[in-house]
Amino acid sequence: MRRPLRLYAVAVAVVLALPGASPPAAPDPATAVSPASAVFPVSPAPSAAPPQLHVEGNRFVDRTGTPYRLLGVNRSGAEFSCVQGRGIFDGTVDDASVAAIAGWGANTVRVPLNEECWLGTANIDPRYAGAAYTSAIRDYVRRLTAHGLTPVLELHWSHGRYTGPSAGCADEHASCQKPMPDRRHSPAFWSSVAGTFKNTPEVVFDLFNEPYPDRATPDTERAWTCWRDGGNCPGIGYEVAGTQTLLDAVRATGARNPVLVGGLAYANDLSRWAAYAPKDPAGNLAAAWHVYNFNACADESCWSRALGPVAERVPLVAGEIGENTCAHAFTDRVMRWLDGRRASYLGWTWNTWDCASGPALISDYAGTPTAYGVGLRDHLRAVNPA
């Protein structure tokens, strides 16, 4: 369903850019603790370097064949700050801030990106585009891997004018979330990203944040066909690059890194994922799923019915989990369900926003959790004890 609060990158980020915006007061960790029950310690605690992963059946495994789950956080900012002319990241991304993420027991950080900033298109301030942007992302990836954290690089904001149902903006540029990636820039983006990191096998790629071609057409089959094949899709006014095209662009560089692919309905619907999944010659494909308490598929019955068959076939990665309550009862349920299937999950988001405006895990970059974030922190520490 439409994300009223996770239009974070348009609404929340802009609000936080205004004078007087400040992080919320830190909750008292002594009174904000949650038990992490029914956890399955599948993954070792982060070490000096993250593992080189590949898909084996419905699991990620390292080079020794040991199963590994991606457990951690999202680090939002690089998808919107550059296009808004405010910098490259939102908040601190120094070594201490990365160490704080690892200190939560995380082993993975998902990094949303902007294709126009990466490619250095003319509409982006050159201080935050092209070589400056790609260098900053490479530096951050090195910082993450130095702390044993697996980087997941993800295309979040893309080009293309869309003004149909659930449109985030009317701008053709990559200034909001679009229903599908675009043929004009997205394949070139992935060719460049994959070429940059093909010799860094610790990096995982996530092809496109949250597809929603199903909002542009009521025909579910045509929406899934658009998702896979792209082209001239019903209700979308630009030429779409389908997931097969993007995966082909990645593999054409020689990159064999694991690739995540999210389904329809803002990646909340995986009901036809197995039937329409792109073909990966490297055999290194996993399903990405996003879930918030306000999504359509937001209870255990739906998860078992819609996700169970996918999770039996390929690795399942909940690339974004969260809720708009400033608490963590819902995410606790999500993590328990995913633990039971040895699946992966990443909390949204390691940013110091007001959790009432968007799911913010922290109130400072030293890692002080919000009342929402403490649930993820305690759970990760239980799964990956130091």
Side-chain angles (χ1 to χ4, degrees), residues 121-368:
T121 57
N123 56 299
I124 307 296
D125 187 324
R127 294 175 297 172
Y128 315 130
Y133 185 87
T134 60
S135 177
I137 300 303
R138 287 197 304 270
D139 287 346
Y140 191 54
V141 166
R142 282 193 288 267
R143 220 166 288 138
L144 292 173
T145 58
H147 284 273
L149 296 164
T150 295
V152 178
L153 300 182
E154 172 259 322
L155 174 55
H156 209 86
W157 281 10
S158 55
H159 186 91
R161 179 173 283 111
Y162 174 72
T163 57
S166 301
C169 64
D171 186 8
E172 70 173 340
H173 292 297
S175 60
C176 70
Q177 184 169 284
K178 304 299 171 62
M180 282 293 291
D182 63 293
R183 176 78 67 166
R184 180 174 178 179
H185 292 313
S186 299
F189 166 86
W190 274 117
S191 292
S192 180
V193 172
T196 299
F197 293 104
K198 66 181 180 181
N199 294 320
T200 311
E202 299 84 2
V203 173
V204 175
F205 301 142
D206 187 347
L207 289 184
F208 190 68
N209 177 42
E210 293 182 340
Y212 59 98
D214 48 312
R215 294 303 178 90
T217 176
D219 188 326
T220 302
E221 297 303 318
R222 294 183 74 185
W224 278 107
T225 299
C226 172
W227 176 83
R228 183 189 61 202
D229 300 337
N232 296 315
C233 295
I236 300 176
Y238 56 88
E239 189 175 5
V240 168
T243 56
Q244 187 67 63
T245 296
L246 299 187
L247 181 58
D248 290 346
V250 169
R251 297 302 182 220
T253 68
R256 297 183 61 84
N257 308 57
V259 171
L260 313 182
V261 187
L264 301 188
Y266 299 91
N268 185 243
D269 177 8
L270 300 186
S271 61
R272 302 301 305 279
W273 191 97
Y276 283 88
K279 306 301 182 184
D280 183 12
N284 238 0
L285 196 68
W289 177 59
H290 293 185
V291 63
Y292 293 84
N293 60 314
F294 47 83
N295 283 139
C297 187
D299 61 66
E300 289 82 352
S301 174
C302 182
W303 303 338
S304 296
R305 181 177 65 254
L307 302 178
V310 176
E312 292 174 0
R313 175 174 174 172
V314 296
L316 176 64
V317 180
E320 294 182 18
I321 64 172
E323 59 187 286
N324 60 355
T325 65
C326 289
H328 52 83
F330 177 76
T331 53
D332 289 347
R333 288 169 51 204
V334 172
M335 290 186 289
R336 283 194 296 268
W337 190 88
L338 292 167
D339 285 335
R341 285 143 187 86
R342 293 181 289 172
S344 301
Y345 45 85
L346 308 172
W348 186 271
T349 173
W350 191 270
N351 292 74
T352 57
W353 303 340
D354 181 350
C355 72
S357 302
L361 294 165
I362 54 171
S363 58
D364 60 55
Y365 288 103
T368 303

